[in-house]
Amino acid sequence: DETVAPKAGGDMRIRLMTIGDYDQVVVVWKAAGLKVDMVNDSKTALAMILALNPSSCFVAYEENKIIGAVLGAFNGKRLWIYHLGVLPELQWRGIGKALLARVEGVAAEMGVPKVCLGVDVKNIRALQFYVRKGYQVEREALWLYKSL
């Protein structure tokens, strides 16, 4: 299930993520400046996300090198996007846009009414990216968490 991303050039393709992609995906996330927590983002945690969401987590790659990745996690009500990242030297080529579109396409096929995501308050570029793609800032809610 591979597709070529628009405007990417080269031989960039998108496919479903597998647990075998873990090491390369973490490299991409870190290079892209995403917060990688070795508890929540461990290989075991990724295996669980992939098992629960086998059709909504993707990697972009050229030849055998992963250059972008995204997680889409459906909780029964909404699909949440986590860790959309592209190698910095390959950003602005449509790769992030293509990965986002793949996750949104899966959500639409599933009949999911709303796609949500969180952005680090310091990551203005990511916020601008998502706003350009039609996402709105939720002004009536805060995202809370509790570590267990």
Side-chain angles (χ1 to χ4, degrees):
D1 187 32
E2 299 178 359
T3 58
V4 177
K7 296 192 323 181
D11 192 25
M12 199 286 294
R13 298 193 175 278
I14 295 175
R15 65 168 169 74
L16 288 169
M17 186 184 296
T18 70
I19 196 61
D21 298 325
Y22 178 77
D23 291 333
Q24 287 188 67
V25 165
V26 169
V27 168
V28 169
W29 287 339
K30 287 180 177 180
L34 299 176
K35 184 177 171 184
V36 177
D37 168 340
M38 294 321 292
V39 173
N40 294 312
D41 300 315
S42 68
K43 194 169 190 175
T44 301
L46 181 61
M48 185 179 300
I49 289 171
L50 295 175
L52 294 171
N53 301 279
S55 64
S56 57
C57 301
F58 298 96
V59 293
Y61 66 99
E62 289 180 333
E63 297 176 14
N64 291 323
K65 181 180 179 185
I66 293 176
I67 59 173
V70 64
L71 301 176
F74 182 57
N75 68 8
K77 186 174 182 180
R78 294 181 178 93
L79 189 135
W80 283 83
I81 293 175
Y82 297 99
H83 286 10
L84 171 58
V86 174
L87 290 174
E89 65 272 18
L90 299 176
Q91 292 176 0
W92 296 97
R93 287 180 41 194
I95 298 166
K97 178 181 178 180
L99 285 165
L100 183 63
R102 283 299 296 269
V103 176
E104 291 172 344
V106 169
E109 290 171 9
M110 293 171 63
V112 175
K114 192 174 194 177
V115 175
C116 302
L117 56 91
V119 175
D120 188 303
V121 295
K122 298 174 196 156
N123 196 345
I124 300 302
R125 281 184 24 167
L127 178 61
Q128 293 169 337
F129 169 81
Y130 289 115
V131 168
R132 284 194 312 272
K133 304 302 174 245
Y135 286 77
Q136 301 172 29
V137 175
E138 176 63 65
R139 300 185 191 279
E140 299 173 5
L142 295 174
W143 183 16
L144 305 176
Y145 73 93
K146 178 180 180 180
S147 295
L148 301 177

